[in-house]
Amino acid sequence: MAAASPIAVITGASSGIGAATARQLAAAGFRVVLTARRKDRIEALAAEITEAGHEATAYALDVTDRAAVDEFATVFRTLAVLVNNAGGALGADPVATGDPADWRQMYETNVIGTLNVTQALLPALTASGNGTVVILSSTAGLSTYEGGGGYVAAKHGEHVLAETLRLEIVGTPVRVIEVAPGMVKTEEFATTRFRGDAEKAAKVYAGVDAPLSADDVADTITWAITRPSHVNIDLLVVRPRAQASNSKVHRTV
């Protein structure tokens, strides 16, 4: 009898990097479990992946709801991979006028959501004998920029969570990988940040020759996960060629 496919859980899998990662991990031989709040989106993606000949299951989940996360975790005795992708940005106001509600929501989603799912699934990852935790942070978690205070603070928190967890579980059969993308153009990130203002969202990428795509980041995540189990990619920063730093971007217009 053939061995069962290793299971990979991807949070925030309803669009963008999460959805692209689910497709690529499924193609790499994982049985992917797709989680997000938008049930219709992840069910459609699971059907797409299944029709392509791979294994996928959808599970509606809000990562900030600890009781729901704990219930979800009971599904797994062992687990190979957890990709903490759920997160996002709200607003681009300066610190002096930023909305504390936005800051709180970004922290809850990016940091507490990652903490909730990681804590709940760590026993199953350890029980697998060869587990991997991926935390999708951002270059915003490594350096700051004007107008990004709340998002930068949340992503710094996520970065520190990854670093600390790696120190605390060394010696166990679980790797902690952090992937920190720079400018990525997806269908929703900037639009959500600017609350549906398509004009503001478009300005983020204006004149930039080939920002990263969701597939570019998913390819990076999949590469890191599929390295031999003794190889840990502690931190991988990935940017488009046109971006030298968070505040230095080459634009043609």
Side-chain angles (χ1 to χ4, degrees), residues 179-196:
V179 176
M183 181 181 284
V184 185
K185 186 176 183 180
T186 64
E187 66 269 30
E188 293 186 331
F189 180 84
T191 304
T192 299
R193 183 170 203 167
F194 295 109
R195 295 178 171 82

Side-chain angles (χ1 to χ4, degrees), residues 38-90:
R38 294 179 291 185
K39 185 179 179 182
D40 58 333
R41 297 284 292 268
I42 54 174
E43 286 181 341
L45 179 57
E48 173 199 319
I49 291 170
T50 301
E51 288 169 9
H54 309 305
E55 299 177 86
T57 304
Y59 192 107
L61 183 68
D62 178 350
V63 296
T64 67
D65 183 340
R66 184 55 187 257
V69 170
D70 286 342
E71 182 180 354
F72 169 66
T74 65
V75 173
F76 306 97
R77 293 178 59 189
T78 67
L79 178 66
V81 174
L82 165 61
V83 179
N84 285 295
N85 167 73
L90 288 174

Side-chain angles (χ1 to χ4, degrees), residues 6-143:
I7 300 172
V9 170
I10 303 100
T11 68
S14 58
S15 65
I17 294 169
T21 300
R23 291 186 182 98
Q24 293 199 27
L25 287 178
F30 289 88
R31 174 190 164 198
V32 293
V33 179
L34 319 176
T35 75
R37 291 174 296 176
R38 294 179 291 185
K39 185 179 179 182
D40 58 333
R41 297 284 292 268
I42 54 174
E43 286 181 341
L45 179 57
E48 173 199 319
I49 291 170
T50 301
E51 288 169 9
H54 309 305
E55 299 177 86
T57 304
Y59 192 107
L61 183 68
D62 178 350
V63 296
T64 67
D65 183 340
R66 184 55 187 257
V69 170
D70 286 342
E71 182 180 354
F72 169 66
T74 65
V75 173
F76 306 97
R77 293 178 59 189
T78 67
L79 178 66
V81 174
L82 165 61
V83 179
N84 285 295
N85 167 73
L90 288 174
D93 299 314
V95 171
T97 57
D99 186 343
D102 287 346
W103 282 57
R104 186 173 294 110
Q105 185 173 338
M106 285 186 282
Y107 191 85
E108 285 286 335
T109 305
N110 290 280
V111 183
I112 303 301
T114 295
L115 177 67
N116 284 340
V117 181
T118 301
Q119 285 184 336
L121 293 178
L122 193 55
L125 288 157
T126 305
S128 74
N130 186 22
T132 299
V133 175
V134 177
I135 293 178
L136 189 75
S137 62
S138 167
T139 55
L142 307 175
S143 61

